[in-house]
Amino acid sequence: MKFKRRNFGSNQKVSLFTLGTMRAVESAEQMFMVLKEASLIGINHIETAPAYGPAEIFLGESIKKLDFKGIFSQDKWIITSKILPGQKFSEGKQQLKKILKDTCLPKIDNLAIHGLNTFNHLAWALEGEGVDLLRWAQEEEIVDQIGFSSHGSQGLIRESIDSNRFHFCSLHIHLLNQANLPLANLALKKGMGVLAISPADKGGHLHSPSKQLIEDCWPIHPLQLAYRFLLSEGISSLTLGAAKAKDFAIAKKLINSIDPLTKVEKACIKNLFNQSKLRLGKTFCGQCRECLPCPQNVPIPELLKLRNLYVGHGLNSFAKERYNLIGRAGHWWEEVNASSCNECGECLDRCPHNLNIPELLSETHLKLIDNSKRRLWG
Ligand code: SF4
Ligand code: SF4
């Protein structure tokens, strides 16, 4: 069977799904099983990182084993690994050499800056010690393409894309959070590859959807609908962090699925958002950001986005997870939660939807605050 591939940067062609390795780190056997399954369903792109514990060591062993068994040849994989920004040239060199050693590969195809989340990170890559590191990696021919993953602001992502320094980017682009879609389109227009970060997990825990979400998307599974939406938008590849064979079930069905949305899919998406709007009524936050700045630095739109998700779509577990990571994930997420609102009222007149922002924030805090959970990468 011939599998569809999409252009990824200047000279690569990747499968519509990308295997993310962060969840297959319990043992080398688990990684081998996941990698084998990925190769059998037509995936040729793997995303990994030193930050994912033993993932790169297990990956290196598994790639060799699959090659040795004649299941999938080593040179058919496209490998993307990542390094954290801000490192000194010498540290970065050491880390890159370690990636090659751990994965047992002579080179990796793509190197992404892992979490280009601040303007300082971008300056590091464009003017600081990152310039030497990235240039060295390409001159030594141990890396073909340079890219970035970002959880940062839209202004930062736009500037990063416009720098023309990068061949690809990994972004949060989701059916239930489409704010970064114009940036993905900008990157695609420039010939960059675009990876959607974990639509199943970061897209709203769609691997275990709420009853409400299942009903709103019926007869299509919410994750399948989310995948189809992103693929129909032309996103190069969707990251899938598999831990077991059954995690590939929907991707297997959609591995060649590049067609525009069908009438039924469009109707399901329309119903999904109509139902959400009905539930939110006059409390829907339009994400216009007019309410900012808040003197207490409360990230009002981000917090009310979580409220939109749990009230509108029943994404309680996802909203709780995100809310309780606030202040615990450094530059990866927000620093201040809704409890910092002192009800000064400065934001009230700025909201074109006339939302009672302090009241909604207080409700959101009471609903979502919980014991903190361990953070997963990506
Ligand atoms: S009412 Fe709360 S959210 Fe609004 S500006 Fe004042 S502190 Fe910020
Ligand atoms: S101004 Fe109102 S609608 Fe716009 S992001 Fe702020 S709270 Fe939401």
Side-chain angles (χ1 to χ4, degrees), residues 330-364:
H331 54 75
W332 295 84
W333 180 222
E334 301 299 337
E335 291 286 347
V336 174
N337 75 18
S339 66
S340 293
C341 171
N342 63 5
E343 304 187 5
C344 72
E346 275 192 35
C347 55
L348 288 172
D349 289 343
R350 299 190 208 125
C351 177
H353 291 241
N354 295 318
L355 297 184
N356 188 335
I357 295 171
E359 194 177 291
L360 294 177
L361 289 175
S362 166
E363 179 214 293
T364 303

PDB file of all heavy atoms in Angstrom, residues 330-364:
ATOM      1  N   GLY A 330       6.720  27.126  34.364  1.00  0.00           N
ATOM      2  CA  GLY A 330       7.667  28.123  33.842  1.00  0.00           C
ATOM      3  C   GLY A 330       7.111  28.836  32.621  1.00  0.00           C
ATOM      4  O   GLY A 330       5.937  29.220  32.596  1.00  0.00           O
ATOM      5  N   HIS A 331       7.967  28.954  31.584  1.00  0.00           N
ATOM      6  CA  HIS A 331       7.537  29.712  30.403  1.00  0.00           C
ATOM      7  C   HIS A 331       6.615  28.905  29.485  1.00  0.00           C
ATOM      8  O   HIS A 331       6.225  29.363  28.417  1.00  0.00           O
ATOM      9  CB  HIS A 331       8.755  30.217  29.618  1.00  0.00           C
ATOM     10  CG  HIS A 331       9.742  29.134  29.244  1.00  0.00           C
ATOM     11  ND1 HIS A 331       9.517  28.228  28.250  1.00  0.00           N
ATOM     12  CD2 HIS A 331      10.961  28.847  29.758  1.00  0.00           C
ATOM     13  CE1 HIS A 331      10.549  27.414  28.147  1.00  0.00           C
ATOM     14  NE2 HIS A 331      11.451  27.758  29.053  1.00  0.00           N
ATOM     15  N   TRP A 332       6.261  27.684  29.914  1.00  0.00           N
ATOM     16  CA  TRP A 332       5.392  26.853  29.076  1.00  0.00           C
ATOM     17  C   TRP A 332       3.926  27.213  29.227  1.00  0.00           C
ATOM     18  O   TRP A 332       3.079  26.782  28.443  1.00  0.00           O
ATOM     19  CB  TRP A 332       5.591  25.372  29.422  1.00  0.00           C
ATOM     20  CG  TRP A 332       6.960  24.890  29.091  1.00  0.00           C
ATOM     21  CD1 TRP A 332       8.075  25.005  29.879  1.00  0.00           C
ATOM     22  CD2 TRP A 332       7.399  24.271  27.884  1.00  0.00           C
ATOM     23  NE1 TRP A 332       9.160  24.484  29.235  1.00  0.00           N
ATOM     24  CE2 TRP A 332       8.772  24.012  28.012  1.00  0.00           C
ATOM     25  CE3 TRP A 332       6.748  23.887  26.706  1.00  0.00           C
ATOM     26  CZ2 TRP A 332       9.520  23.401  27.006  1.00  0.00           C
ATOM     27  CZ3 TRP A 332       7.494  23.273  25.712  1.00  0.00           C
ATOM     28  CH2 TRP A 332       8.857  23.040  25.866  1.00  0.00           C
ATOM     29  N   TRP A 333       3.573  27.971  30.283  1.00  0.00           N
ATOM     30  CA  TRP A 333       2.138  28.213  30.496  1.00  0.00           C
ATOM     31  C   TRP A 333       2.011  29.454  31.369  1.00  0.00           C
ATOM     32  O   TRP A 333       3.008  30.099  31.699  1.00  0.00           O
ATOM     33  CB  TRP A 333       1.519  26.947  31.094  1.00  0.00           C
ATOM     34  CG  TRP A 333       0.042  26.905  31.411  1.00  0.00           C
ATOM     35  CD1 TRP A 333      -0.497  26.365  32.532  1.00  0.00           C
ATOM     36  CD2 TRP A 333      -1.079  27.372  30.638  1.00  0.00           C
ATOM     37  NE1 TRP A 333      -1.872  26.461  32.494  1.00  0.00           N
ATOM     38  CE2 TRP A 333      -2.258  27.079  31.349  1.00  0.00           C
ATOM     39  CE3 TRP A 333      -1.196  28.039  29.403  1.00  0.00           C
ATOM     40  CZ2 TRP A 333      -3.539  27.398  30.882  1.00  0.00           C
ATOM     41  CZ3 TRP A 333      -2.468  28.366  28.936  1.00  0.00           C
ATOM     42  CH2 TRP A 333      -3.611  28.047  29.668  1.00  0.00           C
ATOM     43  N   GLU A 334       0.807  29.820  31.734  1.00  0.00           N
ATOM     44  CA  GLU A 334       0.561  31.048  32.477  1.00  0.00           C
ATOM     45  C   GLU A 334       1.118  30.974  33.906  1.00  0.00           C
ATOM     46  O   GLU A 334       1.286  29.892  34.457  1.00  0.00           O
ATOM     47  CB  GLU A 334      -0.944  31.322  32.544  1.00  0.00           C
ATOM     48  CG  GLU A 334      -1.615  31.467  31.198  1.00  0.00           C
ATOM     49  CD  GLU A 334      -1.057  32.624  30.395  1.00  0.00           C
ATOM     50  OE1 GLU A 334      -0.504  33.551  31.003  1.00  0.00           O
ATOM     51  OE2 GLU A 334      -1.166  32.586  29.165  1.00  0.00           O
ATOM     52  N   GLU A 335       1.351  32.165  34.476  1.00  0.00           N
ATOM     53  CA  GLU A 335       1.933  32.243  35.826  1.00  0.00           C
ATOM     54  C   GLU A 335       0.886  32.544  36.900  1.00  0.00           C
ATOM     55  O   GLU A 335       1.096  32.282  38.073  1.00  0.00           O
ATOM     56  CB  GLU A 335       2.993  33.364  35.867  1.00  0.00           C
ATOM     57  CG  GLU A 335       4.246  33.079  35.058  1.00  0.00           C
ATOM     58  CD  GLU A 335       5.137  32.053  35.719  1.00  0.00           C
ATOM     59  OE1 GLU A 335       4.915  31.749  36.897  1.00  0.00           O
ATOM     60  OE2 GLU A 335       6.035  31.532  35.045  1.00  0.00           O
ATOM     61  N   VAL A 336      -0.220  33.175  36.487  1.00  0.00           N
ATOM     62  CA  VAL A 336      -1.170  33.716  37.469  1.00  0.00           C
ATOM     63  C   VAL A 336      -2.560  33.127  37.220  1.00  0.00           C
ATOM     64  O   VAL A 336      -3.037  33.121  36.086  1.00  0.00           O
ATOM     65  CB  VAL A 336      -1.229  35.261  37.318  1.00  0.00           C
ATOM     66  CG1 VAL A 336      -2.308  35.862  38.198  1.00  0.00           C
ATOM     67  CG2 VAL A 336       0.119  35.883  37.646  1.00  0.00           C
ATOM     68  N   ASN A 337      -3.199  32.654  38.275  1.00  0.00           N
ATOM     69  CA  ASN A 337      -4.551  32.117  38.065  1.00  0.00           C
ATOM     70  C   ASN A 337      -5.620  33.130  38.519  1.00  0.00           C
ATOM     71  O   ASN A 337      -5.307  34.257  38.930  1.00  0.00           O
ATOM     72  CB  ASN A 337      -4.717  30.729  38.707  1.00  0.00           C
ATOM     73  CG  ASN A 337      -4.839  30.770  40.218  1.00  0.00           C
ATOM     74  OD1 ASN A 337      -5.121  31.810  40.806  1.00  0.00           O
ATOM     75  ND2 ASN A 337      -4.626  29.639  40.855  1.00  0.00           N
ATOM     76  N   ALA A 338      -6.869  32.706  38.456  1.00  0.00           N
ATOM     77  CA  ALA A 338      -7.972  33.646  38.666  1.00  0.00           C
ATOM     78  C   ALA A 338      -8.055  34.174  40.095  1.00  0.00           C
ATOM     79  O   ALA A 338      -8.692  35.208  40.343  1.00  0.00           O
ATOM     80  CB  ALA A 338      -9.291  32.963  38.290  1.00  0.00           C
ATOM     81  N   SER A 339      -7.394  33.505  41.035  1.00  0.00           N
ATOM     82  CA  SER A 339      -7.488  33.959  42.428  1.00  0.00           C
ATOM     83  C   SER A 339      -6.774  35.304  42.629  1.00  0.00           C
ATOM     84  O   SER A 339      -6.958  35.954  43.652  1.00  0.00           O
ATOM     85  CB  SER A 339      -6.902  32.912  43.383  1.00  0.00           C
ATOM     86  OG  SER A 339      -5.522  32.795  43.163  1.00  0.00           O
ATOM     87  N   SER A 340      -5.961  35.728  41.648  1.00  0.00           N
ATOM     88  CA  SER A 340      -5.279  37.026  41.775  1.00  0.00           C
ATOM     89  C   SER A 340      -6.179  38.201  41.428  1.00  0.00           C
ATOM     90  O   SER A 340      -5.789  39.366  41.607  1.00  0.00           O
ATOM     91  CB  SER A 340      -4.045  37.070  40.872  1.00  0.00           C
ATOM     92  OG  SER A 340      -3.103  36.161  41.345  1.00  0.00           O
ATOM     93  N   CYS A 341      -7.346  37.935  40.914  1.00  0.00           N
ATOM     94  CA  CYS A 341      -8.270  39.039  40.592  1.00  0.00           C
ATOM     95  C   CYS A 341      -8.762  39.675  41.896  1.00  0.00           C
ATOM     96  O   CYS A 341      -9.306  38.988  42.765  1.00  0.00           O
ATOM     97  CB  CYS A 341      -9.458  38.500  39.783  1.00  0.00           C
ATOM     98  SG  CYS A 341     -10.762  39.738  39.570  1.00  0.00           S
ATOM     99  N   ASN A 342      -8.553  41.007  42.011  1.00  0.00           N
ATOM    100  CA  ASN A 342      -9.003  41.703  43.228  1.00  0.00           C
ATOM    101  C   ASN A 342     -10.284  42.503  42.977  1.00  0.00           C
ATOM    102  O   ASN A 342     -10.621  43.398  43.746  1.00  0.00           O
ATOM    103  CB  ASN A 342      -7.903  42.603  43.783  1.00  0.00           C
ATOM    104  CG  ASN A 342      -7.533  43.703  42.800  1.00  0.00           C
ATOM    105  OD1 ASN A 342      -8.171  43.838  41.747  1.00  0.00           O
ATOM    106  ND2 ASN A 342      -6.516  44.493  43.121  1.00  0.00           N
ATOM    107  N   GLU A 343     -10.929  42.189  41.859  1.00  0.00           N
ATOM    108  CA  GLU A 343     -12.222  42.795  41.499  1.00  0.00           C
ATOM    109  C   GLU A 343     -12.140  44.300  41.369  1.00  0.00           C
ATOM    110  O   GLU A 343     -13.081  45.008  41.702  1.00  0.00           O
ATOM    111  CB  GLU A 343     -13.299  42.379  42.519  1.00  0.00           C
ATOM    112  CG  GLU A 343     -13.418  40.874  42.643  1.00  0.00           C
ATOM    113  CD  GLU A 343     -14.578  40.437  43.521  1.00  0.00           C
ATOM    114  OE1 GLU A 343     -15.341  41.302  43.962  1.00  0.00           O
ATOM    115  OE2 GLU A 343     -14.705  39.225  43.735  1.00  0.00           O
ATOM    116  N   CYS A 344     -11.021  44.782  40.836  1.00  0.00           N
ATOM    117  CA  CYS A 344     -10.877  46.240  40.673  1.00  0.00           C
ATOM    118  C   CYS A 344     -11.856  46.786  39.631  1.00  0.00           C
ATOM    119  O   CYS A 344     -12.180  47.963  39.641  1.00  0.00           O
ATOM    120  CB  CYS A 344      -9.445  46.588  40.289  1.00  0.00           C
ATOM    121  SG  CYS A 344      -9.023  46.108  38.600  1.00  0.00           S
ATOM    122  N   GLY A 345     -12.272  45.938  38.695  1.00  0.00           N
ATOM    123  CA  GLY A 345     -13.271  46.347  37.706  1.00  0.00           C
ATOM    124  C   GLY A 345     -12.713  47.041  36.479  1.00  0.00           C
ATOM    125  O   GLY A 345     -13.463  47.418  35.587  1.00  0.00           O
ATOM    126  N   GLU A 346     -11.401  47.204  36.391  1.00  0.00           N
ATOM    127  CA  GLU A 346     -10.814  47.923  35.239  1.00  0.00           C
ATOM    128  C   GLU A 346     -11.123  47.277  33.896  1.00  0.00           C
ATOM    129  O   GLU A 346     -11.183  47.942  32.876  1.00  0.00           O
ATOM    130  CB  GLU A 346      -9.279  48.014  35.406  1.00  0.00           C
ATOM    131  CG  GLU A 346      -8.838  49.179  36.243  1.00  0.00           C
ATOM    132  CD  GLU A 346      -7.344  49.423  36.159  1.00  0.00           C
ATOM    133  OE1 GLU A 346      -6.757  49.208  35.083  1.00  0.00           O
ATOM    134  OE2 GLU A 346      -6.776  49.823  37.193  1.00  0.00           O
ATOM    135  N   CYS A 347     -11.269  45.961  33.895  1.00  0.00           N
ATOM    136  CA  CYS A 347     -11.487  45.258  32.620  1.00  0.00           C
ATOM    137  C   CYS A 347     -12.934  45.371  32.131  1.00  0.00           C
ATOM    138  O   CYS A 347     -13.207  45.148  30.950  1.00  0.00           O
ATOM    139  CB  CYS A 347     -11.113  43.792  32.784  1.00  0.00           C
ATOM    140  SG  CYS A 347     -11.994  43.001  34.162  1.00  0.00           S
ATOM    141  N   LEU A 348     -13.849  45.706  33.039  1.00  0.00           N
ATOM    142  CA  LEU A 348     -15.276  45.562  32.716  1.00  0.00           C
ATOM    143  C   LEU A 348     -15.713  46.377  31.504  1.00  0.00           C
ATOM    144  O   LEU A 348     -16.368  45.858  30.603  1.00  0.00           O
ATOM    145  CB  LEU A 348     -16.123  45.928  33.943  1.00  0.00           C
ATOM    146  CG  LEU A 348     -16.071  44.898  35.078  1.00  0.00           C
ATOM    147  CD1 LEU A 348     -16.758  45.412  36.330  1.00  0.00           C
ATOM    148  CD2 LEU A 348     -16.694  43.585  34.634  1.00  0.00           C
ATOM    149  N   ASP A 349     -15.327  47.657  31.459  1.00  0.00           N
ATOM    150  CA  ASP A 349     -15.789  48.502  30.358  1.00  0.00           C
ATOM    151  C   ASP A 349     -15.138  48.140  29.028  1.00  0.00           C
ATOM    152  O   ASP A 349     -15.598  48.556  27.968  1.00  0.00           O
ATOM    153  CB  ASP A 349     -15.496  49.979  30.673  1.00  0.00           C
ATOM    154  CG  ASP A 349     -16.419  50.477  31.775  1.00  0.00           C
ATOM    155  OD1 ASP A 349     -17.436  49.784  32.018  1.00  0.00           O
ATOM    156  OD2 ASP A 349     -16.101  51.508  32.400  1.00  0.00           O
ATOM    157  N   ARG A 350     -14.049  47.411  29.086  1.00  0.00           N
ATOM    158  CA  ARG A 350     -13.335  47.102  27.837  1.00  0.00           C
ATOM    159  C   ARG A 350     -13.913  45.885  27.112  1.00  0.00           C
ATOM    160  O   ARG A 350     -13.584  45.635  25.965  1.00  0.00           O
ATOM    161  CB  ARG A 350     -11.850  46.812  28.134  1.00  0.00           C
ATOM    162  CG  ARG A 350     -11.108  47.959  28.755  1.00  0.00           C
ATOM    163  CD  ARG A 350      -9.603  47.643  28.765  1.00  0.00           C
ATOM    164  NE  ARG A 350      -8.957  48.323  29.871  1.00  0.00           N
ATOM    165  CZ  ARG A 350      -8.228  47.714  30.795  1.00  0.00           C
ATOM    166  NH1 ARG A 350      -8.009  46.417  30.741  1.00  0.00           N
ATOM    167  NH2 ARG A 350      -7.678  48.398  31.770  1.00  0.00           N
ATOM    168  N   CYS A 351     -14.721  45.108  27.800  1.00  0.00           N
ATOM    169  CA  CYS A 351     -15.201  43.858  27.191  1.00  0.00           C
ATOM    170  C   CYS A 351     -16.390  44.126  26.270  1.00  0.00           C
ATOM    171  O   CYS A 351     -17.461  44.518  26.736  1.00  0.00           O
ATOM    172  CB  CYS A 351     -15.603  42.854  28.272  1.00  0.00           C
ATOM    173  SG  CYS A 351     -16.274  41.338  27.556  1.00  0.00           S
ATOM    174  N   PRO A 352     -16.241  43.901  24.964  1.00  0.00           N
ATOM    175  CA  PRO A 352     -17.359  44.169  24.052  1.00  0.00           C
ATOM    176  C   PRO A 352     -18.546  43.230  24.275  1.00  0.00           C
ATOM    177  O   PRO A 352     -19.646  43.507  23.805  1.00  0.00           O
ATOM    178  CB  PRO A 352     -16.741  43.967  22.656  1.00  0.00           C
ATOM    179  CG  PRO A 352     -15.513  43.178  22.863  1.00  0.00           C
ATOM    180  CD  PRO A 352     -15.048  43.410  24.268  1.00  0.00           C
ATOM    181  N   HIS A 353     -18.309  42.120  24.976  1.00  0.00           N
ATOM    182  CA  HIS A 353     -19.408  41.183  25.259  1.00  0.00           C
ATOM    183  C   HIS A 353     -20.085  41.487  26.598  1.00  0.00           C
ATOM    184  O   HIS A 353     -20.968  40.739  27.021  1.00  0.00           O
ATOM    185  CB  HIS A 353     -18.882  39.738  25.287  1.00  0.00           C
ATOM    186  CG  HIS A 353     -18.462  39.216  23.945  1.00  0.00           C
ATOM    187  ND1 HIS A 353     -19.037  38.136  23.347  1.00  0.00           N
ATOM    188  CD2 HIS A 353     -17.515  39.649  23.074  1.00  0.00           C
ATOM    189  CE1 HIS A 353     -18.467  37.902  22.173  1.00  0.00           C
ATOM    190  NE2 HIS A 353     -17.525  38.815  21.997  1.00  0.00           N
ATOM    191  N   ASN A 354     -19.644  42.566  27.242  1.00  0.00           N
ATOM    192  CA  ASN A 354     -20.199  42.959  28.552  1.00  0.00           C
ATOM    193  C   ASN A 354     -20.173  41.826  29.575  1.00  0.00           C
ATOM    194  O   ASN A 354     -21.133  41.627  30.326  1.00  0.00           O
ATOM    195  CB  ASN A 354     -21.646  43.463  28.408  1.00  0.00           C
ATOM    196  CG  ASN A 354     -21.687  44.738  27.602  1.00  0.00           C
ATOM    197  OD1 ASN A 354     -20.834  45.614  27.784  1.00  0.00           O
ATOM    198  ND2 ASN A 354     -22.627  44.816  26.689  1.00  0.00           N
ATOM    199  N   LEU A 355     -19.089  41.069  29.566  1.00  0.00           N
ATOM    200  CA  LEU A 355     -19.007  39.953  30.522  1.00  0.00           C
ATOM    201  C   LEU A 355     -18.695  40.482  31.914  1.00  0.00           C
ATOM    202  O   LEU A 355     -17.930  41.443  32.068  1.00  0.00           O
ATOM    203  CB  LEU A 355     -17.899  38.976  30.106  1.00  0.00           C
ATOM    204  CG  LEU A 355     -18.086  38.267  28.776  1.00  0.00           C
ATOM    205  CD1 LEU A 355     -16.966  37.255  28.549  1.00  0.00           C
ATOM    206  CD2 LEU A 355     -19.426  37.569  28.701  1.00  0.00           C
ATOM    207  N   ASN A 356     -19.265  39.818  32.902  1.00  0.00           N
ATOM    208  CA  ASN A 356     -18.909  40.134  34.282  1.00  0.00           C
ATOM    209  C   ASN A 356     -17.632  39.327  34.599  1.00  0.00           C
ATOM    210  O   ASN A 356     -17.686  38.229  35.162  1.00  0.00           O
ATOM    211  CB  ASN A 356     -20.049  39.764  35.232  1.00  0.00           C
ATOM    212  CG  ASN A 356     -19.766  40.258  36.642  1.00  0.00           C
ATOM    213  OD1 ASN A 356     -18.608  40.439  37.026  1.00  0.00           O
ATOM    214  ND2 ASN A 356     -20.812  40.482  37.411  1.00  0.00           N
ATOM    215  N   ILE A 357     -16.517  39.879  34.175  1.00  0.00           N
ATOM    216  CA  ILE A 357     -15.261  39.119  34.193  1.00  0.00           C
ATOM    217  C   ILE A 357     -14.886  38.637  35.600  1.00  0.00           C
ATOM    218  O   ILE A 357     -14.592  37.447  35.789  1.00  0.00           O
ATOM    219  CB  ILE A 357     -14.128  39.937  33.526  1.00  0.00           C
ATOM    220  CG1 ILE A 357     -14.460  40.117  32.037  1.00  0.00           C
ATOM    221  CG2 ILE A 357     -12.770  39.241  33.687  1.00  0.00           C
ATOM    222  CD1 ILE A 357     -13.555  41.075  31.297  1.00  0.00           C
ATOM    223  N   PRO A 358     -14.895  39.509  36.623  1.00  0.00           N
ATOM    224  CA  PRO A 358     -14.492  39.010  37.956  1.00  0.00           C
ATOM    225  C   PRO A 358     -15.373  37.854  38.425  1.00  0.00           C
ATOM    226  O   PRO A 358     -14.877  36.883  38.999  1.00  0.00           O
ATOM    227  CB  PRO A 358     -14.659  40.231  38.866  1.00  0.00           C
ATOM    228  CG  PRO A 358     -14.654  41.407  37.960  1.00  0.00           C
ATOM    229  CD  PRO A 358     -15.189  40.950  36.645  1.00  0.00           C
ATOM    230  N   GLU A 359     -16.668  37.939  38.140  1.00  0.00           N
ATOM    231  CA  GLU A 359     -17.569  36.863  38.568  1.00  0.00           C
ATOM    232  C   GLU A 359     -17.257  35.548  37.842  1.00  0.00           C
ATOM    233  O   GLU A 359     -17.192  34.477  38.442  1.00  0.00           O
ATOM    234  CB  GLU A 359     -19.016  37.295  38.274  1.00  0.00           C
ATOM    235  CG  GLU A 359     -20.051  36.451  38.967  1.00  0.00           C
ATOM    236  CD  GLU A 359     -21.451  36.989  38.669  1.00  0.00           C
ATOM    237  OE1 GLU A 359     -21.777  38.086  39.167  1.00  0.00           O
ATOM    238  OE2 GLU A 359     -22.201  36.317  37.928  1.00  0.00           O
ATOM    239  N   LEU A 360     -17.002  35.661  36.534  1.00  0.00           N
ATOM    240  CA  LEU A 360     -16.697  34.451  35.750  1.00  0.00           C
ATOM    241  C   LEU A 360     -15.352  33.863  36.171  1.00  0.00           C
ATOM    242  O   LEU A 360     -15.176  32.636  36.207  1.00  0.00           O
ATOM    243  CB  LEU A 360     -16.687  34.775  34.246  1.00  0.00           C
ATOM    244  CG  LEU A 360     -18.035  35.186  33.660  1.00  0.00           C
ATOM    245  CD1 LEU A 360     -17.893  35.546  32.177  1.00  0.00           C
ATOM    246  CD2 LEU A 360     -19.071  34.080  33.832  1.00  0.00           C
ATOM    247  N   LEU A 361     -14.410  34.737  36.499  1.00  0.00           N
ATOM    248  CA  LEU A 361     -13.101  34.240  36.954  1.00  0.00           C
ATOM    249  C   LEU A 361     -13.239  33.502  38.278  1.00  0.00           C
ATOM    250  O   LEU A 361     -12.638  32.443  38.490  1.00  0.00           O
ATOM    251  CB  LEU A 361     -12.108  35.399  37.107  1.00  0.00           C
ATOM    252  CG  LEU A 361     -11.610  36.036  35.799  1.00  0.00           C
ATOM    253  CD1 LEU A 361     -10.726  37.247  36.111  1.00  0.00           C
ATOM    254  CD2 LEU A 361     -10.842  35.032  34.953  1.00  0.00           C
ATOM    255  N   SER A 362     -14.027  34.084  39.174  1.00  0.00           N
ATOM    256  CA  SER A 362     -14.210  33.455  40.483  1.00  0.00           C
ATOM    257  C   SER A 362     -14.875  32.079  40.318  1.00  0.00           C
ATOM    258  O   SER A 362     -14.450  31.084  40.914  1.00  0.00           O
ATOM    259  CB  SER A 362     -15.059  34.392  41.349  1.00  0.00           C
ATOM    260  OG  SER A 362     -15.502  33.714  42.457  1.00  0.00           O
ATOM    261  N   GLU A 363     -15.868  32.028  39.450  1.00  0.00           N
ATOM    262  CA  GLU A 363     -16.552  30.747  39.203  1.00  0.00           C
ATOM    263  C   GLU A 363     -15.573  29.727  38.613  1.00  0.00           C
ATOM    264  O   GLU A 363     -15.551  28.555  39.012  1.00  0.00           O
ATOM    265  CB  GLU A 363     -17.715  31.006  38.225  1.00  0.00           C
ATOM    266  CG  GLU A 363     -18.489  29.770  37.850  1.00  0.00           C
ATOM    267  CD  GLU A 363     -18.986  29.828  36.410  1.00  0.00           C
ATOM    268  OE1 GLU A 363     -19.850  30.669  36.112  1.00  0.00           O
ATOM    269  OE2 GLU A 363     -18.500  29.028  35.585  1.00  0.00           O
ATOM    270  N   THR A 364     -14.745  30.189  37.693  1.00  0.00           N
ATOM    271  CA  THR A 364     -13.767  29.305  37.040  1.00  0.00           C
ATOM    272  C   THR A 364     -12.789  28.753  38.071  1.00  0.00           C
ATOM    273  O   THR A 364     -12.471  27.558  38.079  1.00  0.00           O
ATOM    274  CB  THR A 364     -12.996  30.092  35.945  1.00  0.00           C
ATOM    275  OG1 THR A 364     -13.958  30.606  35.031  1.00  0.00           O
ATOM    276  CG2 THR A 364     -11.999  29.215  35.208  1.00  0.00           C
TER     277      THR A 364
END
